[in-house]
C-alpha cells in the first residue's frame, strides 16, 4: 500500500517547478518568497490607494468649496426637482422599514414642480405653500427649505407670464416675508438652516417679486367677440354666482357702473355666505338694515374675519389608509386592497400637513 503522506526521505521539502526545472525547496524558503512577493504587491496597492485617496480628497474639497460658494451666493443654476408620483408615508420604524417620513421629505419627493403647471392643482399648491410659510418652515430640512424657495420662484414666474392669480400670490409673499422677519431674528436658535446672509438674500428676492407683481400690467384681450356687459342680465348674474370669493365680486363691480350695480345683488352675497359658512355661524353674525333686510354683503366680510372660508380644489393629494401611500388623484399607486377606492381619502392642504404632525 503506497504511503500518501509527506515524503519521509526529505522532511520539510517539496518539489517546485521553476524556469530552470524542478527544484527542492524548504518551507522556510517558500514562505520567504511568498512574503517578498506579497510585500511588493502590498506596496503597489498602497501606492495606488494613496493616489486614489488624494484624487478623491481633491475632488471632495473642490465640490465642498463649490457648494459653499453656491450657498453663500445663492447662484445654483439648475435646481433639482423630484418627480415621484407617489410616496410611502411611514410614521415609525418597523422590522421591514427603518425611519419615518417627514413633511420636508414628502415636500421634496412629490412632484410639485409639475403640479404648479396644472391649472387644477395650482391653487392647492399655493395654499400649501402659504400654510408652510405660516408655521411649518422651521420644521423643513435645509434641502426642503431651498426646494421651497425654488418652487415659489416658479410660481411667481408663472403668474407673471399668465397674468392670472395675482392676488393669492401677493398674499403668499406677504405671509412668507412676515414669517421670515420673525425667524431671521432667531437665527442663533437653530430656527432656519443655513447662513443668515442666504436668508437675507432670499428676503430681498421676495421684495423684488412683490414689486414686480405690484407693477404688473394686465394686457387687454385682443378678441373682438361678445363682452360680459353685452350678455343678458340673467347670464351675467349666473356667471357672477360662479365666483367663490367676495373680493372678486368687488373687483368686478369696479369695472363699470353697470356691473357695479349687479354685484350689489343681495342674492349673490347670500349664496356666498351660505357656501362658505354654516347656519350657526351666520346666526351669530346677523346684521339687519334700517329697512329690516339682512345685510348679506357686510355679513360676508364680517364672517370672513371670524371664520375660515370653505376650501374646494379641482385636484388634491390622496392618501390610501390601507397601504399608507400618498399620491395625486389621477395617478395610480400599487395598492393591494380589494377595493382601493374605499380606503382612499382626499387631503386638504391642512390635512396634508397634519398627516406628518406626529
Amino acid at each position: 500500500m503506497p504511503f500518501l503522506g509527506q515524503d519521509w526521505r526529505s522532511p520539510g521539502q517539496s518539489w517546485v517547478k521553476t524556469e530552470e526545472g524542478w527544484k527542492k525547496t524548504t518551507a522556510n524558503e517558500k514562505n520567504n518568497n511568498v512574503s517578498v512577493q506579497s510585500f511588493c504587491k502590498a506596496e503597489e496597492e498602497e501606492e495606488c490607494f494613496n493616489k486614489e485617496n488624494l484624487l478623491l480628497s481633491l475632488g471632495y474639497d473642490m465640490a465642498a468649496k463649490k457648494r459653499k460658494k453656491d450657498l453663500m451666493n445663492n447662484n445654483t443654476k439648475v435646481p433639482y426637482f423630484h418627480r415621484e408620483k407617489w410616496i410611502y408615508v411611514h410614521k415609525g420604524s418597523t422590522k421591514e422599514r427603518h425611519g419615518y417620513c417627514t413633511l420636508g421629505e414628502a415636500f421634496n419627493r412629490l412632484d410639485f414642480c409639475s403640479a404648479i403647471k396644472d391649472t387644477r392643482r395650482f391653487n392647492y399648491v399655493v395654499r400649501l405653500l402659504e400654510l408652510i410659510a405660516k408655521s411649518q418652515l422651521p420644521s423643513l430640512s435645509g434641502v426642503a427649505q431651498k426646494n421651497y424657495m425654488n418652487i415659489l420662484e416658479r410660481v411667481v414666474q408663472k403668474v407673471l407670464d399668465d397674468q392670472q392669480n395675482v392676488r393669492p400670490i401677493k398674499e403668499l409673499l406677504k405671509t412668507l416675508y412676515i414669517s421670515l422677519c420673525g425667524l431671521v431674528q432667531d437665527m442663533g436658535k437653530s430656527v432656519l438652516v443655513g447662513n443668515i446672509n442666504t436668508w437675507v438674500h432670499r428676503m430681498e428676492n421676495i421684495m423684488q417679486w412683490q414689486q414686480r407683481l405690484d407693477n404688473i400690467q394686465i394686457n387687454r384681450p385682443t378678441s373682438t367677440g361678445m363682452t360680459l356687459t353685452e350678455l343678458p342680465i340673467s347670464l351675467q348674474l349666473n356667471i357672477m354666482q360662479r365666483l367663490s370669493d367676495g373680493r372678486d365680486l368687488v373687483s368686478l363691480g369696479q369695472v363699470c357702473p353697470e356691473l357695479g350695480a349687479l354685484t350689489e345683488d343681495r342674492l349673490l352675497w347670500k349664496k356666498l355666505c351660505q357656501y362658505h359658512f354654516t347656519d350657526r355661524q351666520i346666526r351669530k353674525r346677523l346684521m339687519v338694515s334700517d329697512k329690516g333686510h339682512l345685510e348679506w354683503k357686510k355679513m360676508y366680510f364680517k364672517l370672513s374675519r371670524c371664520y375660515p372660508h370653505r376650501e374646494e380644489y379641482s385636484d388634491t393629494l390622496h392618501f390610501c389608509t390601507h397601504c399608507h401611500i400618498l399620491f395625486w388623484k389621477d395617478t395610480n399607486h400599487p395598492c393591494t386592497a380589494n377595493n382601493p377606492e374605499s380606503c382612499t381619502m382626499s387631503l386638504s392642504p391642512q390635512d396634508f400637513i397634519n398627516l406628518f404632525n406626529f
Side-chain angles (χ1 to χ4, degrees):
M1 182 175 179
F3 180 73
L4 300 180
Q6 190 178 15
D7 190 355
W8 59 272
R9 294 168 295 181
S10 56
Q13 294 180 346
S14 60
W15 290 95
V16 178
K17 186 177 181 180
T18 62
E19 296 179 356
E20 300 176 357
W22 289 90
K23 290 185 177 181
K24 283 185 179 182
T25 58
T26 61
N28 293 333
E29 292 176 351
K30 184 177 180 180
N31 292 336
N32 291 335
N33 293 332
V34 173
S35 62
V36 171
Q37 293 177 359
S38 61
F39 179 77
C40 296
K41 186 176 181 180
E43 283 187 341
E44 294 176 356
E45 291 178 353
E46 184 178 0
E47 184 178 358
C48 295
F49 182 77
N50 291 334
K51 289 181 179 179
E52 291 177 357
N53 283 343
L54 180 61
L55 293 175
L56 288 174
S57 62
L58 291 175
Y60 289 151
D61 291 341
M62 294 177 63
K65 291 180 180 179
K66 185 178 184 301
R67 286 196 301 268
K68 184 177 180 181
K69 183 179 179 181
D70 290 340
L71 183 62
M72 294 296 295
N73 299 329
N74 201 25
N75 290 331
T76 304
K77 300 298 182 183
V78 184
Y80 179 75
F81 296 98
H82 289 270
R83 299 182 181 274
E84 297 186 27
K85 297 181 179 180
W86 57 268
I87 62 171
Y88 178 82
V89 180
H90 44 107
K91 297 185 178 181
S93 299
T94 62
K95 293 181 179 179
E96 294 78 12
R97 291 182 178 271
H98 179 68
Y100 55 91
C101 184
T102 62
L103 175 62
E105 183 181 355
F107 188 78
N108 281 335
R109 293 173 57 189
L110 283 173
D111 188 8
F112 286 105
C113 183
S114 300
I116 60 178
K117 300 177 183 178
D118 193 335
T119 307
R120 301 170 301 167
R121 302 174 181 174
F122 181 82
N123 291 330
Y124 184 90
V125 177
V126 170
R127 177 58 177 166
L128 181 60
L129 294 176
E130 184 179 1
L131 292 176
I132 293 176
K134 286 182 178 180
S135 60
Q136 300 296 324
L137 195 60
S139 65
L140 301 182
S141 63
V143 177
Q145 290 176 0
K146 187 175 183 179
N147 192 30
Y148 179 93
M149 298 302 299
N150 290 332
I151 292 178
L152 180 61
E153 182 178 4
R154 294 201 172 194
V155 169
V156 174
Q157 189 60 46
K158 176 177 173 58
V159 172
L160 292 173
D161 295 338
D162 299 343
Q163 296 184 343
Q164 297 178 1
N165 302 305
V166 177
R167 187 180 65 245
I169 305 305
K170 291 173 66 174
E171 294 176 354
L172 168 61
L173 294 177
K174 181 180 178 180
T175 302
L176 178 60
Y177 187 83
I178 293 175
S179 299
L180 289 179
C181 287
L183 294 174
V184 168
Q185 296 177 0
D186 298 331
M187 283 294 289
K189 302 178 183 179
S190 301
V191 177
L192 293 173
V193 181
N195 191 285
I196 188 173
N197 296 328
T198 302
W199 286 101
V200 171
H201 178 74
R202 291 172 178 172
M203 294 176 66
E204 293 175 354
N205 288 338
I206 294 174
M207 295 181 63
Q208 293 177 2
W209 295 338
Q210 289 176 327
Q211 292 177 358
R212 293 180 62 184
L213 291 174
D214 291 337
N215 299 329
I216 189 173
Q217 298 292 332
I218 306 298
N219 298 327
R220 192 177 184 85
T222 58
S223 61
T224 58
M226 184 177 293
T227 61
L228 179 63
T229 55
E230 295 174 352
L231 295 175
I233 295 179
S234 60
L235 289 180
Q236 295 182 31
L237 290 174
N238 191 10
I239 293 174
M240 293 178 184
Q241 290 177 2
R242 310 290 178 177
L243 300 177
S244 60
D245 195 333
R247 293 171 296 181
D248 293 334
L249 275 179
V250 174
S251 300
L252 182 60
Q254 296 173 352
V255 175
C256 62
E258 293 80 7
L259 292 177
L262 289 178
T263 55
E264 295 295 330
D265 185 71
R266 294 176 57 253
L267 184 60
L268 286 176
W269 294 101
K270 178 181 178 180
K271 290 185 176 181
L272 267 181
C273 291
Q274 293 176 344
Y275 175 77
H276 287 289
F277 311 107
T278 64
D279 294 338
R280 183 178 180 181
Q281 293 172 344
I282 293 175
R283 287 195 298 267
K284 289 183 177 180
R285 299 290 187 275
L286 290 178
M287 300 179 66
V288 184
S289 64
D290 297 336
K291 298 180 180 181
H293 301 297
L294 292 176
E295 297 284 353
W296 288 105
K297 182 177 180 180
K298 295 181 180 179
M299 288 169 55
Y300 170 81
F301 288 106
K302 188 174 182 180
L303 289 166
S304 299
R305 292 190 294 268
C306 300
Y307 306 104
H309 283 194
R310 175 183 175 183
E311 296 181 3
E312 188 172 349
Y313 305 97
S314 301
D315 193 7
T316 63
L317 284 169
H318 283 61
F319 181 70
C320 180
T321 57
H322 177 75
C323 54
H324 300 280
I325 285 181
L326 189 65
F327 61 99
W328 288 105
K329 180 180 178 181
D330 58 351
T331 58
N332 296 324
H333 71 285
C335 186
T336 58
N338 295 329
N339 188 8
E341 296 181 357
S342 63
C343 56
T344 300
M345 53 184 291
S346 176
L347 298 180
S348 66
Q350 186 62 54
D351 293 336
F352 172 79
I353 293 178
N354 294 337
L355 185 65
F356 302 94
N357 291 336
F358 51 85

